[in-house]
Structure formats: C-alpha cells, structure tokens
Amino acid sequence: MAARGLVVTDARAAVDLAVCWLAEVASRPDPDLTVRHRLQALFGAWLGAVVGTEAAKSALTALRTTSQDALERATDFDAREHDAKLLLLGRRALREDGLDSPALASFSQELARVLRAAPSLPATMLAETRLLAALGETSLGGGDPPPRTDLPTGGHHLLTTDPATLRAFCNAVAGASAFGSVRCVVEPSDATAAAVAALLLHKLREYDLALGAMLLRVLKYLGAGDREETSHAVSYLLCQQQDTGAFGLYARELGATMTPRRLVLDVELPITVSVVWSLVECTSREPFLLPRGRPLLRGHPDQRAPS
Amino acid sequence: MRRLNPPSTSESAHRLLDGTLQWLDRHLDHFDPFRSGPLTGLCEIPLAELAILTLTRLRCTRARGDGPDIRRWLDTLLSASVDPVFRQRPFREPETLVSHLMVDSALRLGGRAGQLSPASVARLIAAQHRAAPALPPHREMELRHALDLAGVAHGLPSYPELLRRSLPASINPIFLTTPEIYVVTHVVFYAADLGHRVADVGSDADRRRLACLVEQLLGMSIAAGDWDLTAELILCTQCLDGRDGFAGAGWRAIGAAQRDDGAIPGRVSREDEDGNIAPGSTEDIEACYHATLVTALAALTWLHAVSW
C-alpha cells in the first residue's frame, strides 16, 4: 500500500507538470496548431482534472474556450479525418462547461444515427455508444447486446503479432470495455493478460511510448491493472518526462526526420496526452471516462451483475 | 523436476532438437579454438559451449534419441584438449579456467581421459583467490559451477549467497540491458546445474520472484524475436520449476524461425535484412551457432524432463 501511495503521488505530480506543458503548447499563436492538436491538449487537461491538479483545472477552462474558438474558425474541418473517440471526448469536455461546437455536434448526431440504424452493435463500438449516450445522443437501453464474435481474440499469440494488429487489438479492447467501465473478458483471459503485460514491458524497452502507454491502459481494462508490470511501466514512464513536462526524449530523432516544432506537435503532444491518460488510469481505482455499467455481452457470465 | 508436457510443445521441441543437433554436427570444425591460429583472448568459449551441450546430451539419457554420434563431439573436445598449449593455458591465464573445466568435465563423463588434474586446479583456485572486484559475483558463480562439475575442491560461497550478490532483490526488466539479461539466465543455469536440479536459489519466495522475472523476460524476448535469449529463458523456466507460461509460445516462435538447414538465426542474422551474410559462410556460422546451440540445450533439457 505504501509503495502504491508513492507511485500515485509521483504520477499526480507528473500529470500536473504535463498539463502545464500542454496548456502552454496549445496557447501559442501557431499556424501549425490544428484542431486535432487542440482537442488532444484539451483531453489531456481534462484527464489532469480527473486527478484534481490545480494546474489542470485552470488549463481546462482556458483550453475549452480556445478549442471552441478554433473549431468555429476551422472552415475545412472534416470529422472523418479524426479519431471518433477524440471528437466525442472533446465535445464532452466542452459540454461540461456549457460550451459546444456545431461541427462536433453534427458529427455526434451523424454517428448516433449510423449506430441506431446498424442491425447489431459491434462490441468494439461500445465506447463510442456510451460516449454518445453521455452526450444525450442515444440510449443504451435499446438494441441487441453486441455479439461475442466481435470481441478480439487474445492469448500468447499476441507476443508475435505485428504492431498494426496489436494496435487494433488495443483499440478493440478499449472500445469493448468502454474504457474500463464494463468488464471485458478476452479469452483465454490469464494468457491474454500475461501477454499484454510482457508486450507492455517490451514496447517501452523499444521506446515505443505510444503503444506502451496504450498497452498499460489495456492491461487495466482487462482487469489486470494490479500486475507487477504496471508499476514497472509507471516507474519507467516517469523517468521519461522532460523538465518541461512533456513525455518522451526524442533528441536523436530531432533533425534527422523532423523540425523542433513538428516534434512538439506531432510526437511529444500526442505521446504526452497518451502517457497522462495511462498514468491517470493507473492511479484511479474506479473508471472515470464513463460510468461503470453492466457488460452488454450476450451469454457473458457477468451479464447479470454489475462488474 | 516436475512434469511439463503439453504434447504440441514437445513436438516443437523435438523438431527443433533434431535440426539444431544436425546443424551443429555439420559445423563441429567451427568450435576448434585453433581454427584462427594461436590461442588468444577467450577463443575457447565456443568449445566450452559445445562441451556444455555434450555434457547435457550425456546426462539427458531419456531425450537422447537418434541424434548425431556423440563420439564425434567427444573427439572434437579431445583433439583440442590434448594439445599442450591448450592444456597449460588456464595455469598461465586463469581467466580461461572455466572453459577448460567444462571441456574436461564433458570428456570425463563421456569416458575419455580428462586433461586437468583436480588437485592442480584446486591449488590454482586457492592461490589466486578469485573473487570480486576482479571477478563479479555472477562470474564467481560460473566458476563455482564449473568446479563442482569437475569435482574440484574449493571454498567459494553457496549458490544462494552468490545469487544474492549477483542480482538485486527488485528488478525492473525494462531497464535491463541485453548483457544483464544474460547474467540473469546464467546465474539461474548455475544454480540449477543447467537444469539437472531445481535451482538452489534460497527460499521459495526467492524462487517465485525469480521465476516471475524470468517469465517477464521470456515474454519480452519472444516479442523481440530474440531466439537466443528465448531459448535461454525457456531453459530458465525449467530450472526454476516454473509454471507453464510462455514456454510453449517460445517453442513455437523459435520453431517458426528455424531455417531449413536446422540453424536458429542469431541477432546478427535477423538484422541482416539485405542478405549480406551468405548461408553456410563462416560469418553465417558465427552468427547462428550460439542461438542454435542454446536451443538444442533447452530442447534436450525440456524433453528429458517431459519424459519423466
């Protein structure tokens, strides 16, 4: 318990510093700062507010306003070019403070319409469905539960899976578990958790912080967040934070493949948000992105009781 | 050793063993320490590794099967060891002693005459006080294991004590370098006499902690496609009487990587994406021999335990 307490304290301090950096980056008058960058920074600040850091609360207020302004000014905004979850999370962050964006509202309504018209709901779209419900766009009470066959398959074979397939698996688990708000059992469960844990260590050692942070969250969504590998990963990630607050030490990539500004916007920004997300997940006992709910999986043994 | 026997895993291990032994048998000349001229540096190490595998073939009687004639392997070891320059080297350059002890132990177990006098070696050990800082704890453990195999008297610390000095109580595997991972595998090997006893690592809690670390490293090595480490870590799970975790996945992955000629690609081979290393060349043999040898070692030990 003492060790976990220390980890939580260190992680919260790291999140606080990271959110300060995100707010600073997103507030610069920069023509290269896109809607995607602003929504990522907004989501990062929202996550910081979950753990209650003062920096996050003030940053969140400012970023809500600047994000809304940016969306209104973006004449070429195309929702199809963005991650659906990011758009929905961004809209929710705005709505919580009484703000909104016509572009995001239009996207939400269109997505809800498509899902309502689908003959059955893919298990991996549960996160989007719940986010839409939180935005008041659709109801989870109707429709059939997602079919089990849509669940990703797990097991030790994940160890030799290519990165693209692995990312798809992670996204599927995040979606099917609605970011940990429902229990997601990927059979064989013990083998899957062990493989994900080993891949987490491996990817971090390879310095793939983006995929590593994703695997760290997936481990929690699988109900295996108490494994020792989680503390190893958090300990490692905390060592990868710059003095500025950004996560990731990419000096060797600078100059070889990109300019400093592109490094900040296209690498450090998304990775910082992803790591912040994972740190907040690791320090939170309860799901926070979406309220805990019953699994919607037909034939699932836990269907009767809340997870 | 307890039984570990998923049939598909055994089939994988059998296929791997057959191919790797045949490949090694075809390239026995690679292990001649004199092949590049006079003995220099630690050129005996490949021969010592061959000796370790020969020892294991002799000890794993239930898994021996129809492998290559072991007498050719013993002839290879003997041919080098009878050379006076080779025989005298550990007394002039004691850092080569471990290799010579392994060769001698394999020869004796194989019914050939050993070349080292246990009394002479014991006198050498007592006189040079081989220990840290000149000899790191894991090297001291390596020496102890070699001396024990050769039946040489010594006053070195126990395996649990040397293990405690070699590895910290808590290890974050993300931070381990590749050489450090090899330290972990080797100290487990020594503590378990290369899989012929359950590792003498101290308490059950110590064994569980080490087994957990080995399992994490095994998963990482499979994901990394490092077959050399994968094979060593599978052998470690055997040594620690560990649960059936990633070993099956490891066998399947190594099996998929095995070449048609039976070799297991080493790190250099895997990184040679342009195909600059010609199969069968000296460079190719050098790049593959270790991964091939440790795979054979792990497969032999595994099958020997499975057949109980």
Side-chain angles (χ1 to χ4, degrees), chain A residues 2-251:
Chain A
R4 174 179 164 77
L6 187 61
V7 168
V8 170
T9 302
D10 289 346
R12 281 185 173 159
V15 167
D16 194 59
L17 187 61
V19 171
C20 288
W21 179 81
L22 288 171
E24 191 270 329
V25 167
S27 66
R28 296 173 191 170
D30 186 340
D32 292 332
L33 204 57
T34 65
V35 166
R36 175 184 292 114
H37 297 136
R38 293 186 189 279
L39 288 176
Q40 287 172 340
L42 174 63
F43 180 50
W46 186 90
L47 289 166
V50 169
V51 295
T53 71
E54 287 306 314
K57 290 173 186 173
S58 58
L60 184 56
T61 301
L63 286 171
R64 277 174 173 143
T65 304
T66 56
S67 298
Q68 184 188 41
D69 291 344
L71 280 162
E72 285 179 357
R73 287 197 310 270
T75 55
D76 57 349
F77 176 77
D78 185 348
R80 292 168 298 180
E81 296 175 356
H82 297 266
D83 178 81
K85 296 186 191 67
L86 178 64
L87 296 181
L88 296 175
L89 289 166
R91 189 183 178 212
R92 189 177 68 173
L94 294 176
R95 289 274 295 272
E96 286 175 348
D97 206 29
L99 303 175
D100 206 344
S101 152
L104 294 184
S106 175
F107 167 74
S108 304
Q109 290 151 13
E110 177 61 20
L111 181 58
R113 187 191 67 74
V114 168
L115 291 177
R116 275 196 295 271
S120 63
L121 180 64
T124 53
M125 291 293 287
L126 187 59
E128 284 87 341
T129 304
R130 289 200 152 206
L131 281 168
L132 287 168
L135 290 165
E137 297 292 352
T138 186
S139 168
L140 284 173
D144 290 335
R148 279 184 71 98
T149 53
D150 268 16
L151 281 178
T153 55
H156 290 170
H157 77 90
L158 289 170
L159 292 173
T160 51
T161 294
D162 63 273
T165 305
L166 187 57
R167 278 190 210 95
F169 170 83
C170 290
N171 281 323
V173 172
S177 72
F179 303 119
S181 65
V182 299
R183 187 166 170 228
C184 178
V185 179
V186 180
E187 297 291 356
S189 59
D190 288 347
T192 300
V196 168
L199 284 163
L200 165 62
L201 302 180
H202 167 62
K203 288 302 177 185
L204 289 180
R205 190 158 181 262
E206 279 197 328
Y207 217 71
D208 188 343
L209 300 189
L211 188 47
M214 191 184 294
L215 287 161
L216 184 53
R217 297 194 292 273
V218 165
L219 199 58
K220 186 182 176 189
Y221 299 157
L222 291 172
D226 287 339
R227 290 180 67 105
E228 183 186 47
E229 290 88 344
T230 295
S231 60
H232 288 326
V234 170
S235 176
Y236 179 81
L237 285 170
L238 292 179
C239 292
Q240 307 311 312
Q241 187 172 35
Q242 302 179 40
D243 292 341
T244 59
F247 278 95
L249 307 170
Y250 295 104

Side-chain angles (χ1 to χ4, degrees), chain B:
Chain B
M1 290 289 185
R2 72 177 176 88
R3 191 184 174 98
L4 300 165
N5 59 341
S8 60
T9 302
S10 293
E11 288 168 6
S12 299
H14 265 299
R15 277 195 298 274
L16 281 168
L17 181 61
D18 291 342
T20 51
L21 289 180
Q22 294 296 338
W23 186 89
L24 290 164
D25 192 64
R26 289 195 298 275
H27 298 292
L28 283 178
D29 56 343
H30 173 78
F31 297 92
D32 177 9
F34 291 99
R35 77 181 191 280
S36 299
L39 300 182
T40 57
L42 297 173
C43 61
E44 295 98 327
I45 287 180
L47 188 71
E49 291 165 338
L50 181 70
I52 290 171
L53 182 55
T54 305
L55 265 169
T56 302
R57 289 187 68 192
L58 291 165
R59 295 166 94 182
C60 290
T61 53
R62 285 180 296 278
R64 200 178 293 161
D66 298 323
D69 189 346
I70 202 166
R71 289 172 295 184
R72 279 173 24 86
W73 293 36
L74 289 166
D75 288 342
T76 300
L77 297 176
L78 188 64
S79 172
S81 70
V82 296
D83 187 293
V85 172
F86 184 93
R87 205 168 60 240
Q88 294 173 1
R89 196 165 186 225
F91 297 94
R92 296 185 60 170
E93 293 161 274
E95 64 272 23
T96 66
L97 178 62
V98 167
S99 295
H100 287 251
L101 285 169
M102 300 309 292
V103 171
D104 223 57
S105 295
L107 286 171
R108 290 178 192 277
L109 191 64
R112 306 295 178 92
Q115 303 301 309
L116 288 176
S117 154
S120 300
V121 174
R123 184 167 58 237
L124 178 66
I125 292 297
Q128 65 173 340
H129 306 294
R130 297 292 284 174
L135 201 60
H138 67 280
R139 287 288 181 210
E140 205 171 352
M141 206 168 174
E142 176 188 48
L143 175 60
R144 174 171 176 142
H145 177 247
L147 292 169
D148 287 343
L149 268 180
V152 175
H154 62 80
L156 294 178
S158 68
Y159 286 107
E161 175 60 25
L162 288 169
L163 186 71
R164 188 189 63 77
R165 295 180 192 177
S166 299
L167 302 179
S170 177
I171 296 176
N172 186 333
I174 305 173
F175 289 106
L176 284 181
T177 64
T178 299
E180 288 169 338
I181 299 175
Y182 278 108
V183 169
V184 173
T185 61
H186 287 193
V187 297
V188 172
F189 293 164
Y190 306 143
D193 188 18
L194 297 166
H196 292 280
R197 62 167 181 254
V198 176
D200 184 12
V201 298
S203 66
D204 285 343
D206 289 332
R207 180 177 298 111
R208 283 194 300 273
R209 176 179 59 82
L210 204 46
C212 181
L213 173 64
V214 163
E215 191 67 8
Q216 290 168 344
L217 291 172
L218 176 55
M220 293 168 72
S221 69
I222 295 170
D226 188 330
W227 312 129
D228 196 296
L229 270 176
T230 296
E232 292 212 2
L233 288 159
I234 290 175
L235 180 53
C236 284
T237 64
Q238 181 79 20
C239 293
L240 293 167
D241 211 20
R243 54 206 158 92
D244 289 323
F246 293 132
W251 283 130
R252 287 189 292 277
I254 298 176
Q258 186 173 34
R259 296 188 333 202
D260 291 340
D261 63 356
I264 306 299
R267 205 166 294 117
V268 171
S269 301
R270 288 186 291 110
E271 292 169 356
D272 178 36
E273 294 176 349
D274 296 333
N276 293 321
I277 301 176
S281 64
T282 302
E283 206 177 2
D284 177 59
I285 297 168
E286 181 63 36
C288 294
Y289 94 87
H290 193 271
T292 306
L293 189 146
V294 297
T295 297
L297 188 68
L300 257 177
T301 311
W302 184 276
L303 291 168
H304 180 73
V306 162
S307 58
W308 268 113

